[in-house]
Amino acid sequence: MDTKMKNMLRGLGAALSSVITKILIPMYIFRSILQDATLMMIDLGYTEAKVDTIIFWIVAMGSITASLSFTKASSPKYSPRKAIFEIILVIANAFYLYLYKFSGALDIAVSMDLGIAITTFYLSFENMVYISMGVIGLNMIIGLYDLIISYAAPIEEDL
Amino acid sequence: MITMILQTLQDTISKILAVIEYILPTILWSMGVILAFVLPLGIFLKNILGALVSHFPGPETGLLWVYFIVAGIFLALGIFLATKYPERKIQL
């Protein structure tokens, strides 16, 4: 198999996994939450409009991250362009994560109807988002390091 | 008999304590790193993203195609680079 084909296959694999994990699975989960809302004893406070907003951002940012995953994965190993696209992908991932919070997916008001009593409580994932953002920030630093290495001390390895 | 049981108990406890003594600094260090570095970095990033995201076209504008165009540009660029410059020897 020639290098072009290998690159394309690597890229396609990465894009496909990104589409499945970042668009299809979240979309299915949010749609099923909405469909099962009437059947469940626990109400998570998701309305049709709220789920539509969440799905809009999932599809919008998910498609961008999937295409960036293709571009990054199809680049040759240790090349400067791989490092550049890695940084852009990390930034896109940060936007994807932020828009999850922004769209209201993580503002969950749980209402439970237990028959004799109805209880409501709020779940806040604020700190979890901050830590995830911090990890993304660290990934960005690693991406920058890769970029510097690819220019300053290129790895001479036969690929 | 009781002395033997107490001895075994003491051995077990000291083994558990040795494991805790080994693990605890790692846990504390990682918690410290998270609190001192990762969390502030996350809050900083979140504030920057918050300012940028307000300019993005939201669902009320119906401009989903804008995101698809951006994704398409990146995809086309990826396909072009992967086919035109498949080797790393060309510095791109």
Side-chain angles (χ1 to χ4, degrees):
Chain A
M1 202 187 287
D2 65 335
T3 325
K4 275 182 198 175
M5 204 61 201
K6 261 188 201 167
N7 287 347
M8 292 294 277
L9 282 178
R10 263 205 306 260
L12 273 177
L16 207 68
S17 74
S18 187
V19 165
I20 291 169
T21 55
K22 284 184 178 154
I23 302 177
L24 296 180
I25 293 174
M27 226 164 114
Y28 174 75
I29 289 169
F30 283 110
R31 277 273 163 240
S32 58
I33 285 174
L34 201 65
Q35 275 169 5
D36 299 341
T38 48
L39 305 172
M40 286 196 302
M41 199 172 64
I42 303 166
D43 179 22
L44 297 176
Y46 285 119
T47 57
E48 183 89 43
K50 199 175 171 183
V51 169
D52 282 346
T53 310
I54 294 164
I55 287 176
F56 175 89
W57 288 118
I58 284 172
V59 173
M61 287 316 294
S63 56
I64 291 176
T65 51
S67 66
L68 277 167
S69 298
F70 173 89
T71 315
K72 186 205 145 193
S74 64
S75 308
K77 242 180 177 179
Y78 310 123
S79 63
R81 79 169 191 252
K82 189 166 192 135
I84 291 167
F85 285 118
E86 192 182 332
I87 294 168
I88 300 172
L89 180 63
V90 168
I91 294 168
N93 277 332
F95 275 114
Y96 178 85
L97 186 73
Y98 182 83
L99 289 166
Y100 240 114
K101 191 189 158 329
F102 182 69
S103 60
L106 297 180
D107 302 328
I108 300 174
V110 185
S111 302
M112 286 169 74
D113 188 358
L114 302 170
I116 48 164
I118 297 170
T119 176
T120 306
F121 56 93
Y122 297 94
L123 294 176
S124 173
F125 294 98
E126 199 103 319
N127 283 335
M128 199 183 81
V129 170
Y130 291 154
I131 290 173
S132 308
M133 288 275 177
V135 172
I136 284 173
L138 291 177
N139 279 334
M140 221 179 276
I141 293 169
I142 292 169
L144 280 171
Y145 180 71
D146 281 348
L147 186 64
I148 291 165
I149 279 187
S150 67
Y151 276 115
I155 297 165
E156 298 299 336
E157 183 193 310
D158 264 348
L159 302 165
Chain B
M1 184 68 182
I2 292 171
T3 324
M4 263 180 72
I5 291 170
L6 283 174
Q7 189 65 47
T8 320
L9 202 67
Q10 195 191 7
D11 286 351
T12 317
I13 289 169
S14 61
K15 273 177 192 165
I16 292 168
L17 281 175
V19 172
I20 290 172
E21 197 183 11
Y22 185 72
I23 294 171
L24 203 62
T26 317
I27 294 170
L28 288 176
W29 264 108
S30 39
M31 273 174 69
V33 167
I34 287 171
L35 285 174
F37 190 64
V38 179
L39 210 58
L41 187 66
I43 293 167
F44 173 69
L45 251 179
K46 185 232 154 200
N47 290 337
I48 292 174
L49 292 177
L52 292 174
V53 155
S54 57
H55 301 292
F56 283 20
E60 66 285 346
T61 57
L63 293 174
L64 188 62
W65 56 271
V66 173
Y67 296 96
F68 287 145
I69 287 175
V70 175
I73 290 168
F74 280 124
L75 195 66
L77 185 68
I79 293 169
F80 171 75
L81 289 172
T83 50
K84 188 88 176 166
Y85 305 105
E87 303 286 342
R88 186 171 55 96
K89 281 155 194 161
I90 301 152
Q91 287 290 309
L92 196 71

